[in-house]
Amino acid sequence: AISGSIVVIDDNGKPVESAIITGATIHDHTTQRLRVMLDRGLAGWVVRHRTAALIADTSQDERWMLQDYEKEALTSARSAVSAPLLVRERMIGVMTLVHPQAGFFTSEHMALVQAISDQASIAVLNARLVAESQRQANVMTALADSAAAITSSLKLEDVLDQIMDQTTQALRVQAVTLALIDHQTNELVVHAATGSVKHLLLNARFQMGKGIAGWVAQEGIGIVVDETRHDPRFDSNTDQRTGYSTQAIACAPLRYRGEVIGILEALNPEGNIFDQDALLVLTGIGSLAGTAVRNAQLFEHLQAAHQSYRVLFEDSIDPILITRWDGHIVEANRQAVLAVEINKEALRQLSISQLHTPDFELLGNTFENIRSGKTLSYESSLRLRDGHEVPIQVSVRQVDVEGVSHIQWILRDLTERKNLDALREDL
């Protein structure tokens, strides 16, 4: 034979590895090139029919499809023989040999090739299983490393940086982008990017359903496109705008509690062809990233809310005290310190009952009536440090402080109102 090929397929019939020999030269990394042959060529016919085939004259048989690596005359007649690699009825792949002379191969040759294929199939299966085990181990390692890195911080900026780094390392790509869905405008907004597109794409907006990223966000399905120019979903306008040449894309949705919140996109891997596990790895990182991003966002919102509460707490014109459910004071704002004329540290040593007499009939002996979520109000007198008492209106409600239930007491000075009431009484 002058040339030949072996294609190894997975259990779904997709090529996972291959090699072509022409003369004395072996060409590997040809899997992408041979995919068409599995669809329309002799090898594909053998796989579908699970039987060996002999072609006496390739120019007269529609099952033969000329390959790019065949440099001889396009009209030359040849002989070809092809046999399946089978192990216990399990299809492993297909072997094909070609001779420059038409009618060269005979039925004895086909039987010999089939015998060789039967022996080779066992070795190929064992090697494939080892390779699959190694790939699975690599996938698990990549996901474990990604999980440890991505969840190491609750700061959104750090989380995004870790997602970018882990995706780049796991898939060995030139660029990575992460976009989140803006539900108000129904657009994808790029929040993080790496590579030469970083400064060009940050904060860029894309329509849902437009381009490969928009399609993934809308459908919630990950995808790998090894040749973008052949995919109708690819939007070349982005490349024209950024000057970047996108050859291959892997894109997976970001999910949080089952809901798609964005996409994670990897561009241009080494060799411009993604490994067969690329989508599995990217989908796994996407699931981790979705949870990490949402948790970081919620944490930042919580911090912002906490900061707003602290500002309102400290700047309130009314004295505010926070106590445990036993009435012990744990926090006081600036106005409370000024009102009772006791510093904050001393206040934290007191009970609320030492500052005024709570209305236990309204509140309950253990303040159980506050647990309903209602705000209860009553009038009392605030005992100052010098022994004087100031009439106050007390508003009491349950609040959560850093996830722990407390009681909030707002004390409003009624001195002016009482004086006006007394004046009205005098009149």
Side-chain angles (χ1 to χ4, degrees):
I2 59 163
S3 64
S5 66
I6 290 181
V7 183
V8 181
I9 62 175
D10 61 18
D11 292 332
N12 296 318
K14 296 182 178 180
V16 296
E17 190 56 82
S18 67
I20 296 173
I21 182 170
T22 56
T25 305
I26 296 178
H27 310 274
D28 53 9
H29 302 296
T30 57
T31 306
Q32 183 70 15
R33 191 195 310 180
L34 293 179
R35 285 180 179 176
V36 178
M37 191 173 71
L38 277 177
D39 292 334
R40 301 192 297 270
L42 176 61
W45 185 94
V46 170
V47 169
R48 289 190 294 274
H49 291 81
R50 304 173 70 86
T51 186
L54 174 63
I55 296 180
D57 187 343
T58 57
S59 65
Q60 302 298 319
D61 197 305
E62 62 181 9
R63 293 174 297 179
W64 183 256
M65 185 179 65
L66 199 66
Q67 298 299 310
D68 294 337
Y69 59 83
E70 298 177 301
K71 304 298 184 182
E72 290 79 13
L74 298 180
T75 58
S76 63
R78 303 175 187 184
S79 179
V81 61
S82 184
L85 303 180
L86 287 167
V87 178
R88 301 187 187 91
E89 300 303 317
R90 185 178 182 182
M91 181 62 68
I92 305 301
V94 58
M95 177 191 297
T96 305
L97 296 177
V98 180
H99 192 277
Q101 178 183 334
F104 175 81
F105 290 122
T106 65
S107 58
E108 288 79 8
H109 286 120
M110 185 171 70
L112 178 59
V113 172
Q114 182 63 75
I116 295 173
S117 297
D118 291 341
Q119 295 298 317
S121 60
I122 298 174
V124 170
L125 176 60
N126 290 337
R128 199 188 80 176
L129 293 175
V130 170
E132 287 177 355
S133 298
Q134 185 60 49
R135 283 197 302 269
Q136 290 176 0
N138 292 339
V139 169
M140 296 306 295
T141 300
L143 294 180
D145 291 344
S146 298
I150 292 172
T151 58
S152 63
S153 174
L154 280 174
K155 187 178 179 182
L156 183 57
E157 182 179 354
D158 292 342
V159 169
L160 293 176
D161 287 343
Q162 288 294 344
I163 294 171
M164 297 292 100
D165 290 343
Q166 291 300 315
T167 305
T168 301
Q169 293 175 23
L171 300 182
R172 300 187 299 278
V173 291
Q174 292 180 1
V176 180
T177 61
L178 183 149
L180 300 177
I181 298 175
D182 184 340
H183 291 287
Q184 292 184 342
T185 62
N186 199 34
E187 293 176 315
L188 280 171
V189 183
V190 178
H191 285 254
T194 65
S196 59
V197 299
K198 179 176 181 178
H199 300 294
L200 298 170
L201 288 181
L202 275 179
N203 300 317
R205 291 178 173 268
F206 301 94
Q207 295 178 10
M208 290 284 287
K210 185 177 182 181
I212 291 176
W215 183 88
V216 170
Q218 183 169 277
E219 301 296 327
I221 302 172
I223 189 174
V224 171
V225 179
D226 284 323
E227 296 185 60
T228 55
R229 65 182 183 276
H230 294 154
D231 196 298
R233 292 165 295 192
F234 177 65
D235 183 11
S236 60
N237 292 329
T238 302
D239 278 7
Q240 294 173 5
R241 187 169 67 252
T242 61
Y244 187 79
S245 178
T246 304
Q247 303 297 322
I249 293 176
C251 189
L254 300 184
R255 295 183 181 275
Y256 178 72
R257 294 183 177 178
E259 178 188 0
V260 177
I261 65 170
I263 59 95
L264 182 61
E265 189 176 54
L267 310 176
N268 294 359
E270 294 177 0
N272 285 331
I273 297 178
F274 284 100
D275 294 337
Q276 65 185 89
D277 298 315
L279 185 58
L280 178 61
V281 173
L282 190 64
T283 301
I285 295 177
S287 297
L288 294 169
T291 301
V293 167
R294 183 61 80 211
N295 287 342
Q297 289 177 326
L298 293 174
F299 181 72
E300 288 195 349
H301 292 161
L302 180 62
Q303 283 190 314
H306 181 69
Q307 182 61 30
S308 297
Y309 173 77
R310 292 296 305 181
V311 171
L312 293 173
F313 179 76
E314 288 295 340
D315 293 346
S316 174
I317 62 173
D318 294 319
I320 302 177
L321 299 165
I322 304 295
T323 70
R324 299 197 300 254
W325 283 91
D326 60 2
H328 187 86
I329 297 172
V330 295
E331 190 59 88
N333 71 347
R334 189 181 301 107
Q335 284 299 122
V337 172
L338 295 175
V340 298
E341 300 175 349
I342 301 176
N343 65 52
K344 188 174 291 189
E345 291 303 320
L347 271 176
R348 289 173 178 162
Q349 307 301 318
L350 303 178
S351 168
I352 192 68
S353 299
Q354 293 176 270
L355 298 181
H356 84 291
T357 302
D359 188 343
F360 289 106
E361 184 176 346
L362 176 67
L363 304 177
N365 292 330
T366 58
F367 309 120
E368 64 271 12
N369 295 340
I370 307 173
R371 295 186 183 273
S372 63
K374 295 181 180 179
T375 299
L376 304 179
S377 298
Y378 59 90
E379 291 187 8
S380 184
S381 296
L382 178 64
R383 292 185 283 272
L384 304 182
R385 185 179 183 180
D386 59 6
H388 287 84
E389 293 189 356
V390 175
I392 56 173
Q393 181 181 20
V394 184
S395 297
V396 190
R397 69 185 183 97
Q398 178 184 351
V399 295
D400 287 335
V401 179
E402 296 181 352
V404 180
S405 178
H406 288 77
I407 303 175
Q408 175 182 272
W409 309 77
I410 300 178
L411 315 179
R412 183 158 295 138
D413 190 345
L414 298 180
T415 301
E416 185 175 352
R417 198 190 81 181
K418 291 292 185 181
N419 290 336
L420 290 174
D421 288 344
L423 178 59
R424 186 164 53 249
E425 291 288 336
D426 291 344
L427 290 174

